[in-house]
Short mmCIF file of all heavy atoms in Angstrom, two decimals:
data_model
loop_
_atom_site.label_atom_id
_atom_site.label_comp_id
_atom_site.label_asym_id
_atom_site.label_seq_id
_atom_site.Cartn_x
_atom_site.Cartn_y
_atom_site.Cartn_z
N ARG A 42 -17.31 -25.29 29.82
CA ARG A 42 -18.75 -25.27 30.11
C ARG A 42 -19.56 -25.67 28.88
O ARG A 42 -20.45 -26.52 28.95
CB ARG A 42 -19.17 -23.88 30.58
CG ARG A 42 -20.61 -23.78 31.02
CD ARG A 42 -20.94 -22.34 31.43
NE ARG A 42 -22.14 -22.25 32.22
CZ ARG A 42 -23.37 -22.32 31.72
NH1 ARG A 42 -23.56 -22.49 30.41
NH2 ARG A 42 -24.42 -22.22 32.52
N ASN A 43 -19.23 -25.09 27.73
CA ASN A 43 -19.95 -25.42 26.50
C ASN A 43 -19.79 -26.88 26.12
O ASN A 43 -20.75 -27.54 25.70
CB ASN A 43 -19.48 -24.52 25.35
CG ASN A 43 -19.91 -23.09 25.52
OD1 ASN A 43 -20.88 -22.80 26.21
ND2 ASN A 43 -19.19 -22.17 24.91
N GLU A 44 -18.58 -27.40 26.26
CA GLU A 44 -18.33 -28.80 25.92
C GLU A 44 -19.09 -29.75 26.85
O GLU A 44 -19.66 -30.74 26.41
CB GLU A 44 -16.84 -29.10 25.96
CG GLU A 44 -16.54 -30.51 25.57
CD GLU A 44 -15.43 -30.66 24.56
OE1 GLU A 44 -14.82 -29.65 24.19
OE2 GLU A 44 -15.20 -31.80 24.16
N ILE A 45 -19.10 -29.43 28.14
CA ILE A 45 -19.83 -30.28 29.09
C ILE A 45 -21.32 -30.24 28.80
O ILE A 45 -21.99 -31.29 28.80
CB ILE A 45 -19.53 -29.87 30.54
CG1 ILE A 45 -18.09 -30.27 30.88
CG2 ILE A 45 -20.52 -30.50 31.51
CD1 ILE A 45 -17.62 -29.79 32.22
N LEU A 46 -21.85 -29.07 28.53
CA LEU A 46 -23.28 -28.98 28.20
C LEU A 46 -23.61 -29.77 26.94
O LEU A 46 -24.66 -30.42 26.87
CB LEU A 46 -23.70 -27.52 28.05
CG LEU A 46 -23.74 -26.71 29.35
CD1 LEU A 46 -24.03 -25.25 29.07
CD2 LEU A 46 -24.78 -27.30 30.31
N LYS A 47 -22.72 -29.73 25.98
CA LYS A 47 -22.93 -30.49 24.75
C LYS A 47 -22.91 -31.99 25.04
O LYS A 47 -23.78 -32.73 24.57
CB LYS A 47 -21.84 -30.15 23.73
CG LYS A 47 -21.97 -30.88 22.40
CD LYS A 47 -20.88 -30.47 21.44
CE LYS A 47 -19.64 -31.25 21.81
NZ LYS A 47 -18.53 -31.11 20.89
N GLU A 48 -21.96 -32.43 25.83
CA GLU A 48 -21.82 -33.86 26.13
C GLU A 48 -22.95 -34.38 27.02
O GLU A 48 -23.32 -35.54 26.91
CB GLU A 48 -20.47 -34.15 26.80
CG GLU A 48 -19.28 -33.96 25.90
CD GLU A 48 -19.30 -34.86 24.68
OE1 GLU A 48 -19.88 -35.97 24.71
OE2 GLU A 48 -18.71 -34.45 23.66
N THR A 49 -23.49 -33.55 27.88
CA THR A 49 -24.50 -34.02 28.83
C THR A 49 -25.91 -33.96 28.27
O THR A 49 -26.87 -34.11 29.01
CB THR A 49 -24.43 -33.26 30.16
OG1 THR A 49 -24.53 -31.86 29.92
CG2 THR A 49 -23.14 -33.57 30.88
N ARG A 50 -26.04 -33.75 26.98
CA ARG A 50 -27.37 -33.82 26.36
C ARG A 50 -27.93 -35.24 26.41
O ARG A 50 -29.13 -35.43 26.43
CB ARG A 50 -27.32 -33.32 24.92
CG ARG A 50 -27.14 -31.84 24.83
CD ARG A 50 -27.12 -31.37 23.40
NE ARG A 50 -26.76 -29.96 23.34
CZ ARG A 50 -26.11 -29.39 22.36
NH1 ARG A 50 -25.76 -30.10 21.29
NH2 ARG A 50 -25.82 -28.12 22.40
N SER A 51 -27.04 -36.22 26.43
CA SER A 51 -27.50 -37.61 26.50
C SER A 51 -27.67 -37.99 27.97
O SER A 51 -26.87 -37.60 28.83
CB SER A 51 -26.49 -38.55 25.83
OG SER A 51 -25.36 -38.72 26.63
N PRO A 52 -28.71 -38.77 28.28
CA PRO A 52 -28.95 -39.18 29.67
C PRO A 52 -27.78 -39.96 30.27
O PRO A 52 -27.50 -39.83 31.46
CB PRO A 52 -30.19 -40.06 29.58
CG PRO A 52 -30.84 -39.70 28.30
CD PRO A 52 -29.75 -39.24 27.38
N GLU A 53 -27.10 -40.74 29.45
CA GLU A 53 -25.98 -41.53 29.96
C GLU A 53 -24.86 -40.61 30.47
O GLU A 53 -24.27 -40.86 31.51
CB GLU A 53 -25.41 -42.45 28.87
CG GLU A 53 -26.40 -43.49 28.38
CD GLU A 53 -27.34 -42.95 27.29
OE1 GLU A 53 -27.01 -41.94 26.64
OE2 GLU A 53 -28.40 -43.56 27.13
N GLU A 54 -24.57 -39.57 29.73
CA GLU A 54 -23.50 -38.65 30.12
C GLU A 54 -23.93 -37.75 31.28
O GLU A 54 -23.11 -37.42 32.14
CB GLU A 54 -23.05 -37.80 28.94
CG GLU A 54 -22.24 -38.57 27.92
CD GLU A 54 -20.90 -39.07 28.44
OE1 GLU A 54 -20.27 -38.40 29.28
OE2 GLU A 54 -20.49 -40.16 28.00
N SER A 55 -25.17 -37.33 31.30
CA SER A 55 -25.62 -36.45 32.38
C SER A 55 -25.57 -37.17 33.72
O SER A 55 -25.43 -36.53 34.76
CB SER A 55 -27.01 -35.89 32.10
OG SER A 55 -27.97 -36.91 32.07
N ALA A 56 -25.64 -38.49 33.72
CA ALA A 56 -25.55 -39.27 34.96
C ALA A 56 -24.21 -39.06 35.64
O ALA A 56 -24.11 -39.16 36.87
CB ALA A 56 -25.76 -40.75 34.66
N ALA A 57 -23.19 -38.73 34.88
CA ALA A 57 -21.86 -38.51 35.45
C ALA A 57 -21.82 -37.30 36.37
O ALA A 57 -20.93 -37.19 37.21
CB ALA A 57 -20.83 -38.34 34.33
N LEU A 58 -22.78 -36.40 36.24
CA LEU A 58 -22.77 -35.15 37.01
C LEU A 58 -23.84 -35.11 38.10
O LEU A 58 -24.12 -34.04 38.63
CB LEU A 58 -22.95 -33.97 36.05
CG LEU A 58 -21.93 -33.86 34.93
CD1 LEU A 58 -22.22 -32.66 34.06
CD2 LEU A 58 -20.52 -33.79 35.48
N GLU A 59 -24.39 -36.25 38.44
CA GLU A 59 -25.45 -36.28 39.43
C GLU A 59 -25.00 -35.88 40.83
O GLU A 59 -25.76 -35.33 41.60
CB GLU A 59 -26.10 -37.67 39.49
CG GLU A 59 -26.95 -37.97 38.29
CD GLU A 59 -27.57 -39.36 38.36
OE1 GLU A 59 -27.25 -40.12 39.30
OE2 GLU A 59 -28.35 -39.67 37.47
N ASN A 60 -23.75 -36.14 41.17
CA ASN A 60 -23.28 -35.91 42.54
C ASN A 60 -22.60 -34.57 42.76
O ASN A 60 -22.34 -34.20 43.90
CB ASN A 60 -22.33 -37.03 42.94
CG ASN A 60 -23.03 -38.37 43.00
OD1 ASN A 60 -24.14 -38.46 43.49
ND2 ASN A 60 -22.40 -39.39 42.46
N PHE A 61 -22.30 -33.88 41.68
CA PHE A 61 -21.61 -32.60 41.82
C PHE A 61 -22.05 -31.67 40.69
O PHE A 61 -22.04 -32.06 39.53
CB PHE A 61 -20.08 -32.79 41.77
CG PHE A 61 -19.30 -31.52 41.91
CD1 PHE A 61 -19.30 -30.82 43.10
CD2 PHE A 61 -18.60 -31.00 40.85
CE1 PHE A 61 -18.59 -29.63 43.25
CE2 PHE A 61 -17.89 -29.82 40.97
CZ PHE A 61 -17.88 -29.14 42.17
N ASP A 62 -22.43 -30.46 41.05
CA ASP A 62 -22.89 -29.48 40.06
C ASP A 62 -21.68 -28.79 39.43
O ASP A 62 -21.31 -27.68 39.80
CB ASP A 62 -23.82 -28.46 40.73
CG ASP A 62 -24.47 -27.52 39.75
OD1 ASP A 62 -24.12 -27.54 38.55
OD2 ASP A 62 -25.33 -26.73 40.19
N VAL A 63 -21.07 -29.47 38.49
CA VAL A 63 -19.85 -28.97 37.86
C VAL A 63 -20.13 -27.69 37.06
O VAL A 63 -19.26 -26.82 36.99
CB VAL A 63 -19.17 -30.06 37.00
CG1 VAL A 63 -19.94 -30.33 35.74
CG2 VAL A 63 -17.75 -29.68 36.68
N ILE A 64 -21.32 -27.54 36.52
CA ILE A 64 -21.64 -26.33 35.77
C ILE A 64 -21.63 -25.12 36.70
O ILE A 64 -21.09 -24.07 36.35
CB ILE A 64 -22.99 -26.47 35.03
CG1 ILE A 64 -22.92 -27.59 33.98
CG2 ILE A 64 -23.42 -25.15 34.40
CD1 ILE A 64 -21.91 -27.36 32.87
N SER A 65 -22.18 -25.25 37.89
CA SER A 65 -22.14 -24.14 38.85
C SER A 65 -20.71 -23.85 39.28
O SER A 65 -20.34 -22.69 39.47
CB SER A 65 -23.00 -24.44 40.07
OG SER A 65 -24.36 -24.45 39.70
N TRP A 66 -19.90 -24.89 39.43
CA TRP A 66 -18.50 -24.68 39.79
C TRP A 66 -17.78 -23.90 38.68
O TRP A 66 -17.05 -22.95 38.95
CB TRP A 66 -17.81 -26.02 40.05
CG TRP A 66 -16.36 -25.89 40.34
CD1 TRP A 66 -15.80 -25.49 41.52
CD2 TRP A 66 -15.28 -26.12 39.43
NE1 TRP A 66 -14.42 -25.47 41.39
CE2 TRP A 66 -14.08 -25.86 40.13
CE3 TRP A 66 -15.20 -26.54 38.11
CZ2 TRP A 66 -12.83 -25.99 39.54
CZ3 TRP A 66 -13.96 -26.67 37.53
CH2 TRP A 66 -12.79 -26.40 38.24
N ILE A 67 -18.02 -24.29 37.44
CA ILE A 67 -17.42 -23.58 36.30
C ILE A 67 -17.93 -22.14 36.26
O ILE A 67 -17.16 -21.21 36.05
CB ILE A 67 -17.71 -24.31 34.97
CG1 ILE A 67 -16.99 -25.66 34.96
CG2 ILE A 67 -17.29 -23.46 33.78
CD1 ILE A 67 -17.42 -26.57 33.83
N ASP A 68 -19.24 -21.96 36.46
CA ASP A 68 -19.81 -20.61 36.49
C ASP A 68 -19.13 -19.75 37.55
O ASP A 68 -18.88 -18.56 37.34
CB ASP A 68 -21.32 -20.65 36.73
CG ASP A 68 -22.10 -21.14 35.52
OD1 ASP A 68 -21.54 -21.19 34.40
OD2 ASP A 68 -23.28 -21.50 35.70
N SER A 69 -18.83 -20.35 38.70
CA SER A 69 -18.16 -19.58 39.76
C SER A 69 -16.78 -19.12 39.31
O SER A 69 -16.34 -18.03 39.66
CB SER A 69 -18.07 -20.40 41.05
OG SER A 69 -17.07 -21.39 40.99
N LYS A 70 -16.11 -19.94 38.53
CA LYS A 70 -14.78 -19.56 38.02
C LYS A 70 -14.91 -18.46 36.96
O LYS A 70 -14.13 -17.51 36.94
CB LYS A 70 -14.06 -20.77 37.42
CG LYS A 70 -13.83 -21.89 38.39
CD LYS A 70 -13.03 -21.40 39.58
CE LYS A 70 -12.81 -22.50 40.59
NZ LYS A 70 -12.27 -21.99 41.83
N ILE A 71 -15.91 -18.59 36.08
CA ILE A 71 -16.12 -17.60 35.03
C ILE A 71 -16.51 -16.25 35.64
O ILE A 71 -16.00 -15.20 35.24
CB ILE A 71 -17.20 -18.07 34.03
CG1 ILE A 71 -16.67 -19.28 33.24
CG2 ILE A 71 -17.63 -16.95 33.09
CD1 ILE A 71 -17.74 -19.98 32.42
N GLU A 72 -17.40 -16.28 36.62
CA GLU A 72 -17.90 -15.06 37.24
C GLU A 72 -17.00 -14.53 38.35
O GLU A 72 -17.25 -13.45 38.90
CB GLU A 72 -19.30 -15.32 37.82
CG GLU A 72 -20.32 -15.72 36.78
CD GLU A 72 -21.63 -16.19 37.40
OE1 GLU A 72 -21.85 -15.96 38.62
OE2 GLU A 72 -22.43 -16.79 36.67
N ARG A 73 -16.00 -15.32 38.71
CA ARG A 73 -15.09 -14.99 39.82
C ARG A 73 -15.87 -14.73 41.11
O ARG A 73 -15.68 -13.73 41.80
CB ARG A 73 -14.21 -13.80 39.46
CG ARG A 73 -13.29 -14.10 38.30
CD ARG A 73 -12.42 -12.97 37.97
NE ARG A 73 -11.54 -13.37 36.84
CZ ARG A 73 -10.82 -12.53 36.16
NH1 ARG A 73 -10.81 -11.26 36.45
NH2 ARG A 73 -10.08 -12.97 35.17
N ARG A 74 -16.76 -15.67 41.39
CA ARG A 74 -17.58 -15.63 42.61
C ARG A 74 -17.40 -16.95 43.35
O ARG A 74 -17.09 -17.96 42.73
CB ARG A 74 -19.06 -15.45 42.25
CG ARG A 74 -19.37 -14.15 41.58
CD ARG A 74 -20.88 -14.06 41.30
NE ARG A 74 -21.21 -12.82 40.66
CZ ARG A 74 -21.45 -11.69 41.29
NH1 ARG A 74 -21.37 -11.63 42.59
NH2 ARG A 74 -21.75 -10.60 40.62
N PRO A 75 -17.66 -16.94 44.65
CA PRO A 75 -17.57 -18.20 45.39
C PRO A 75 -18.60 -19.21 44.89
O PRO A 75 -19.74 -18.84 44.54
CB PRO A 75 -17.88 -17.79 46.83
CG PRO A 75 -17.59 -16.33 46.89
CD PRO A 75 -17.91 -15.80 45.52
N PHE A 76 -18.21 -20.46 44.85
CA PHE A 76 -19.09 -21.54 44.41
C PHE A 76 -20.40 -21.53 45.19
O PHE A 76 -21.48 -21.65 44.62
CB PHE A 76 -18.34 -22.87 44.58
CG PHE A 76 -19.13 -24.09 44.26
CD1 PHE A 76 -19.63 -24.31 42.98
CD2 PHE A 76 -19.36 -25.05 45.22
CE1 PHE A 76 -20.34 -25.46 42.68
CE2 PHE A 76 -20.07 -26.20 44.93
CZ PHE A 76 -20.57 -26.41 43.66
N GLU A 77 -20.30 -21.35 46.50
CA GLU A 77 -21.48 -21.33 47.36
C GLU A 77 -22.47 -20.23 46.93
O GLU A 77 -23.68 -20.44 46.91
CB GLU A 77 -21.05 -21.10 48.81
CG GLU A 77 -22.21 -21.04 49.77
CD GLU A 77 -21.76 -20.78 51.20
OE1 GLU A 77 -20.57 -20.51 51.43
OE2 GLU A 77 -22.62 -20.83 52.09
N GLU A 78 -21.95 -19.09 46.55
CA GLU A 78 -22.80 -17.98 46.12
C GLU A 78 -23.56 -18.33 44.83
O GLU A 78 -24.74 -18.02 44.70
CB GLU A 78 -21.93 -16.74 45.90
CG GLU A 78 -22.69 -15.48 45.58
CD GLU A 78 -21.76 -14.30 45.42
OE1 GLU A 78 -20.91 -14.07 46.31
OE2 GLU A 78 -21.88 -13.61 44.39
N VAL A 79 -22.88 -18.98 43.91
CA VAL A 79 -23.52 -19.37 42.65
C VAL A 79 -24.62 -20.40 42.92
O VAL A 79 -25.72 -20.30 42.38
CB VAL A 79 -22.48 -19.92 41.65
CG1 VAL A 79 -23.15 -20.50 40.42
CG2 VAL A 79 -21.49 -18.82 41.26
N ILE A 80 -24.34 -21.35 43.78
CA ILE A 80 -25.34 -22.38 44.14
C ILE A 80 -26.57 -21.73 44.78
O ILE A 80 -27.71 -22.03 44.43
CB ILE A 80 -24.74 -23.43 45.11
CG1 ILE A 80 -23.66 -24.23 44.40
CG2 ILE A 80 -25.81 -24.33 45.70
CD1 ILE A 80 -24.16 -25.19 43.37
N LYS A 81 -26.34 -20.82 45.72
CA LYS A 81 -27.46 -20.14 46.39
C LYS A 81 -28.29 -19.35 45.39
O LYS A 81 -29.51 -19.36 45.42
CB LYS A 81 -26.95 -19.22 47.50
CG LYS A 81 -26.51 -19.94 48.73
CD LYS A 81 -26.02 -18.98 49.79
CE LYS A 81 -25.55 -19.70 51.03
NZ LYS A 81 -25.06 -18.78 52.05
N ARG A 82 -27.62 -18.64 44.47
CA ARG A 82 -28.33 -17.84 43.47
C ARG A 82 -29.18 -18.74 42.57
O ARG A 82 -30.34 -18.44 42.30
CB ARG A 82 -27.35 -17.04 42.63
CG ARG A 82 -28.05 -16.10 41.64
CD ARG A 82 -27.09 -15.39 40.70
NE ARG A 82 -26.57 -16.39 39.75
CZ ARG A 82 -25.30 -16.53 39.43
NH1 ARG A 82 -24.38 -15.79 39.95
NH2 ARG A 82 -24.94 -17.44 38.56
N LYS A 83 -28.63 -19.86 42.17
CA LYS A 83 -29.37 -20.78 41.30
C LYS A 83 -30.56 -21.40 42.04
O LYS A 83 -31.62 -21.57 41.46
CB LYS A 83 -28.46 -21.86 40.75
CG LYS A 83 -27.56 -21.36 39.65
CD LYS A 83 -26.77 -22.47 39.01
CE LYS A 83 -25.96 -21.94 37.86
NZ LYS A 83 -25.24 -23.01 37.15
N SER A 84 -30.38 -21.71 43.32
CA SER A 84 -31.48 -22.31 44.06
C SER A 84 -32.61 -21.30 44.27
O SER A 84 -33.78 -21.66 44.26
CB SER A 84 -31.02 -22.89 45.39
OG SER A 84 -30.64 -21.88 46.27
N LYS A 85 -32.26 -20.03 44.45
CA LYS A 85 -33.27 -18.99 44.58
C LYS A 85 -34.04 -18.80 43.28
O LYS A 85 -35.25 -18.61 43.29
CB LYS A 85 -32.65 -17.66 45.00
CG LYS A 85 -32.25 -17.60 46.45
CD LYS A 85 -31.66 -16.25 46.79
CE LYS A 85 -31.16 -16.22 48.22
NZ LYS A 85 -30.54 -14.94 48.56
N SER A 86 -33.34 -18.86 42.16
CA SER A 86 -34.01 -18.64 40.88
C SER A 86 -34.92 -19.83 40.52
O SER A 86 -35.93 -19.65 39.86
CB SER A 86 -33.00 -18.40 39.75
OG SER A 86 -32.25 -19.56 39.48
N VAL A 87 -34.60 -21.01 41.01
CA VAL A 87 -35.43 -22.19 40.75
C VAL A 87 -36.65 -22.18 41.65
O VAL A 87 -37.75 -22.51 41.21
CB VAL A 87 -34.62 -23.50 40.96
CG1 VAL A 87 -35.51 -24.71 40.93
CG2 VAL A 87 -33.53 -23.61 39.92
#
């Protein structure tokens, strides 16, 4: 997660993640929660 966040600081690299929220997927693994739950939580907070 830290490495991806570091790499995606540039617009060119962040374009690689436009189609899939890999950070939320990683968060789901770290938190041991379903991916869908993490996505819903993030959308509510936004």
Side-chain angles (χ1 to χ4, degrees):
R42 185 182 197 283
N43 290 337
E44 182 132 4
I45 289 173
L46 289 174
K47 181 179 81 173
E48 292 300 332
T49 55
R50 288 181 188 149
S51 74
E53 297 84 21
E54 288 295 326
S55 64
L58 303 180
E59 288 179 355
N60 296 318
F61 180 68
D62 187 353
V63 73
I64 297 298
S65 291
W66 177 77
I67 293 169
D68 287 345
S69 76
K70 300 302 179 190
I71 292 169
E72 299 171 14
R73 296 181 179 168
R74 296 181 180 275
F76 176 62
E77 179 182 7
E78 186 178 309
V79 172
I80 294 289
K81 284 180 181 179
R82 185 186 72 227
K83 285 186 176 184
S84 69
K85 285 181 184 178
S86 68
V87 170

